């Protein structure tokens, strides 16, 4: 009966079974519910990603060259927009006459992730840099065409010539560095990201207040020494010009480098960022703050990219500014410094670390086992963010039509062209079996010899021409400015059967680039006289 020993034993067992069954059902429901919610949230985040075209210019480089182990570098252009096209951005400052005006790319930083993921280089271009703007055509069948500039234009105007894709095009034309992705952020995005991170330490050598008698300045006010900044104060730091160093954009760039290095160190040591709620906040802030190219239009692609970036220790991060000179035509603006700016660009193109430490031991990286399903096993060709190599096979040389153009006067046209050079090089190609090579009389000017092609199915043929002439792989690029394969004989090939080989590449960033190491936690901003309190 109920009062007997057997009854007392059976009833609790039945109750326990019911409890276990109920618990299992609830757990199953929660697991299914969480999975569904996770999937819906994933779709929500994916649908929130804002994208734009990668490159609006005519010139499309063939992608970064893999190293001997098949590993591919990655180049990402970081763009800070000063757009004041909504209430949130307008509330964060700026003259009212700039509201709803064309946006400017006031911050431009090229982030280079090495092929073996051992180091990272960042090159900033001051917003006051003068350069030639390329032709930019906005996407779509009736996309607006922004013609190439006839003279020097300030680099931050590129954003108003079609969007971030034109800023990418301007960098490509100037540096010949293949850019794989871009990320653009505006004022309110900086504030939300800085809040989500939870504070970044910065240092000033004296009390500072960025405010002139006329009311200009970011409004930043900090006491001497180290300060933890976030939110709007972080934006003020990144925007401060009046009060830092010489009061120019160049000092501001140095302050931005200090902030980014400190932020990288915080990511590595800040335990709060392992908190799912904190990570969720950061993810939402990042998604709502950024505009990216279409190659980063999914959460998993952004996650894969973050995994790759995380592989680099902070001690191998090097922040630099493009070497510059004051412009001969405008002493309030700057231009790339001859020689040293190109040295810096070349180091990025050739995947040479800017910190002077030389390449890491690639054998160790190559022998390390890759995780199953890794998005970029050992940072090799499987990296979904890396450009795919062309698989277009080359036709026999005698079937390849090549136009040869005399561009020996250089880009600036300061030097007279070598007479008859296109005909001479066309004959050289004919002697190598390219019997359909012919001189082209159209005007052109290039500092280095380059081969351009119009359609993807011409990539292999263009590469074959380069190989026959002993030209490097990065001399081949896709371009809408040609109708077929065209060899531009540059200033480096005025005579002889081969271009003049370039001098050995530098092994360390020039001092004029102001290199700053990611582990340098002693960096402290110098304060401009008259802005202390």
């Amino acid at each position: 009966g109920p009062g007997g020993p057997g009854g007392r034993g059976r009833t609790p067992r039945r109750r326990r079974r019911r409890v276990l069954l109920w618990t299992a059902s609830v757990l199953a429901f929660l697991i299914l519910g969480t999975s569904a919610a996770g999937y819906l949230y994933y779709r929500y985040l994916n649908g929130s990603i804002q994208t734009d075209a990668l490159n609006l210019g005519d010139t499309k480089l063939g992608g970064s060259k893999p190293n001997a182990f098949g590993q591919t570098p990655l180049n990402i252009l970081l763009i800070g927009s000063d757009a004041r096209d909504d209430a949130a951005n307008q509330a964060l400052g700026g003259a009212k006459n700039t509201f709803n005006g064309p946006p400017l790319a006031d911050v431009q930083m090229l982030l280079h992730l090495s092929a073996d993921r051992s180091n990272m280089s960042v090159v900033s271009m001051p917003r006051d840099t003068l350069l030639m703007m390329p032709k930019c055509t906005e996407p779509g069948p009736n996309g607006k065409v922004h013609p190439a500039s006839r003279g020097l234009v300030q680099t931050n105007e590129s954003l108003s010539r079609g969007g971030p894709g034109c800023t990418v095009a301007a960098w490509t034309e100037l540096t010949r560095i293949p850019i794989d992705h871009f990320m653009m952020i505006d004022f309110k995005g900086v504030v939300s990201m800085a809040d989500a991170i939870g504070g970044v330490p910065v240092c000033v050598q004296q009390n500072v207040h960025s405010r002139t008698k006329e009311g200009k300045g970011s409004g930043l006010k900090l006491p001497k020494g180290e300060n933890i900044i976030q939110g709007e104060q972080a934006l003020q730091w990144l925007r401060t010009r009046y009060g830092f160093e010489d009061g120019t954009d160049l000092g501001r760039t140095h302050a931005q480098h200090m902030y980014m290095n400190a932020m990288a160190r915080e990511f590595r040591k800040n335990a709060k960022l392992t908190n799912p709620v904190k990570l969720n906040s950061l993810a939402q802030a990042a998604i709502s703050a950024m505009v990216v190219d279409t190659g980063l239009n999914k959460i998993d692609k952004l996650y894969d990219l973050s995994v790759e970036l995380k592989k680099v220790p902070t001690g191998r991060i090097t922040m630099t500014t493009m070497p510059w000179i004051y412009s001969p035509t405008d002493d309030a603006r700057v231009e790339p410094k001859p020689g040293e700016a190109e040295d810096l660009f070349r180091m990025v193109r050739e995947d040479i670390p800017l910190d002077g430490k030389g390449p890491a031991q690639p054998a160790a990286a190559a022998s390390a086992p890759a995780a199953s399903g890794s998005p970029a096993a050992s940072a090799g060709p499987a990296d979904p963010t890396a450009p795919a190599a062309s698989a277009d096979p080359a036709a026999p040389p005698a079937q390849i039509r090549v136009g040869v153009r005399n561009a020996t006067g250089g880009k600036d046209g300061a030097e007279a062209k070598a007479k008859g050079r296109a005909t001479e090089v066309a004959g050289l190609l004919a002697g190598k079996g390219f019997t359909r090579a012919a001189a082209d009389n159209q005007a052109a000017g290039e500092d280095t010899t380059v081969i351009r092609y119009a359609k993807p199915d011409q990539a292999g043929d263009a590469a074959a021409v380069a190989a026959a002439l002993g030209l490097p792989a990065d001399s081949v690029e896709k371009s809408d400015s040609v109708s077929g394969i065209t060899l531009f004989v540059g200033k480096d090939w005025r005579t002889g059967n081969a271009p003049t080989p370039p001098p050995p590449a530098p092994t360390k960033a020039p001092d004029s680039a102001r290199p700053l190491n990611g582990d340098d936690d002693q960096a402290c901003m110098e304060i401009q006289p008259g802005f202390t309190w």
Side-chain angles (χ1 to χ4, degrees):
R8 286 194 299 270
R10 286 193 298 273
T11 302
R13 280 199 295 272
R14 285 197 298 272
R15 186 177 297 115
R16 282 197 297 271
R17 282 197 296 271
R18 286 198 299 271
V19 169
L20 288 172
L21 180 63
W22 180 85
T23 303
S25 300
V26 169
L27 283 173
F29 174 78
L30 288 174
I31 290 169
L32 288 172
T34 302
S35 299
Y39 173 69
L40 291 174
Y41 185 62
Y42 173 84
R43 288 188 61 186
Y44 161 73
L45 286 179
N46 267 341
S48 301
I49 297 175
Q50 305 171 72
T51 63
D52 211 326
L54 174 61
N55 189 332
L56 297 177
D58 287 347
T59 299
K60 309 292 192 299
L61 301 181
S64 298
K65 183 180 178 181
N67 64 13
F69 296 91
Q71 302 165 318
T72 309
L74 190 62
N75 297 308
I76 306 168
L77 188 62
L78 309 178
I79 304 170
S81 165
D82 79 339
R84 296 180 177 91
D85 51 1
D86 58 33
N89 278 317
Q90 292 170 0
L92 292 169
K96 290 186 177 180
N97 62 359
T98 65
F99 289 3
N100 299 311
L104 299 173
D106 271 358
V107 177
Q108 300 176 34
M109 298 183 181
L110 182 68
L111 185 154
H112 172 80
L113 184 60
S114 68
D116 62 7
R117 304 316 191 235
S118 69
N119 65 90
M120 184 188 302
S121 303
V122 176
V123 179
S124 287
M125 185 186 298
R127 69 163 189 173
D128 295 331
T129 302
L130 296 177
L131 44 74
M132 298 296 290
M133 283 290 168
K135 172 186 172 184
C136 289
T137 304
E138 296 184 29
N142 300 310
K144 182 177 179 181
V145 177
H146 302 264
S149 64
R150 294 180 177 272
L152 295 175
V153 177
Q154 192 164 300
T155 183
N156 63 349
E157 294 183 22
S158 59
L159 194 58
S160 63
R161 296 168 61 87
C166 195
T167 306
V168 169
W171 272 79
T172 300
E173 289 282 335
L174 176 68
T175 68
R176 295 185 58 77
I177 296 170
I179 296 176
D180 306 296
H181 300 292
F182 74 77
M183 294 181 172
M184 183 172 71
I185 191 168
D186 60 13
F187 289 159
K188 68 178 184 294
V190 171
V191 172
S192 63
M193 287 286 289
D195 276 337
I197 292 167
V200 171
V202 295
C203 177
V204 288
Q205 295 181 8
Q206 297 172 270
N207 297 347
V208 62
H209 188 199
S210 176
R211 186 67 72 202
T212 67
K213 293 179 180 179
E214 296 77 22
K216 296 180 179 180
S218 71
L220 179 73
K221 189 173 185 179
L222 294 175
K224 175 182 177 179
E226 184 176 283
N227 296 267
I228 306 298
I229 60 174
Q230 65 182 94
E232 189 170 347
Q233 201 171 42
L235 176 63
Q236 290 175 333
W237 175 276
L238 294 170
R239 292 183 63 200
T240 293
R241 178 160 60 98
Y242 299 113
F244 283 165
E245 298 184 347
D246 59 357
T248 69
D249 184 54
L250 303 164
R252 169 162 52 192
T253 299
H254 198 213
Q256 291 165 354
H257 292 168
M258 289 184 186
Y259 180 88
M260 289 184 67
N261 276 344
M263 185 172 64
R265 293 193 297 269
E266 287 301 296
F267 268 118
R268 295 303 174 91
K269 70 181 182 182
N270 193 339
K272 289 185 293 185
L273 293 179
T274 62
N275 183 317
V277 175
K278 191 74 177 178
L279 283 172
N280 176 56
S281 173
L282 186 58
Q284 289 198 61
I287 295 302
S288 62
M290 293 190 305
V291 177
V292 298
D293 66 276
T294 52
L296 293 176
N297 62 348
K298 301 292 182 185
I299 292 295
D300 52 351
K301 294 179 181 179
L302 290 169
Y303 174 77
D304 291 347
L305 177 59
S306 70
V307 169
E308 295 302 293
L309 295 172
K310 190 178 178 182
K311 293 176 181 178
V312 180
T314 54
R316 296 300 309 280
I317 297 174
T318 307
M319 298 277 177
T320 62
T321 301
M322 178 196 75
W324 55 272
I325 56 170
Y326 284 111
S327 173
T329 60
D330 184 347
D331 58 9
R333 304 289 182 265
V334 300
E335 295 181 25
K337 185 176 183 179
E340 293 186 11
E342 171 55 25
D343 283 348
L344 195 67
F345 301 151
R346 182 181 175 189
M347 291 182 73
V348 173
R349 285 198 303 267
E350 299 184 15
D351 198 26
I352 301 171
L354 300 186
D355 57 12
K357 295 181 180 179
Q361 294 298 323
S367 62
S372 175
S374 168
S378 297
D383 182 351
T385 63
S390 171
D392 176 51
Q399 297 179 15
I400 300 175
R401 187 187 298 273
V402 185
V404 183
R405 199 169 294 181
N406 187 346
T408 55
K411 282 191 173 182
D412 57 10
E415 194 169 351
K417 292 182 181 179
K419 291 183 179 180
R421 198 67 188 125
T423 301
E424 291 174 0
V425 175
L428 178 65
L429 273 172
K432 294 179 179 292
F434 294 86
T435 53
R436 301 184 72 183
D440 179 338
N441 295 323
Q442 293 189 45
E446 298 289 341
D447 293 336
T448 56
T449 299
V450 60
I451 299 171
R452 298 191 173 109
Y453 62 93
K455 301 175 182 178
D457 60 4
Q458 296 170 340
D461 293 347
V465 175
L469 295 172
L471 298 175
D474 62 4
S475 67
V476 178
E477 60 189 36
K478 184 179 181 299
S479 175
D480 295 336
S481 65
V482 295
S483 58
I485 298 172
T486 306
L487 168 63
F488 292 77
V489 184
K491 189 167 66 174
D492 61 340
W493 197 6
R494 294 177 63 85
T495 61
N497 293 338
T500 303
T507 57
K508 186 178 181 181
D511 291 340
S512 58
R514 298 189 71 178
L516 182 66
N517 184 268
D519 271 352
D520 186 357
D521 57 3
Q522 301 301 306
C524 202
M525 277 306 296
E526 178 185 340
I527 303 306
Q528 184 182 9
F531 289 87
T532 57
W533 53 275

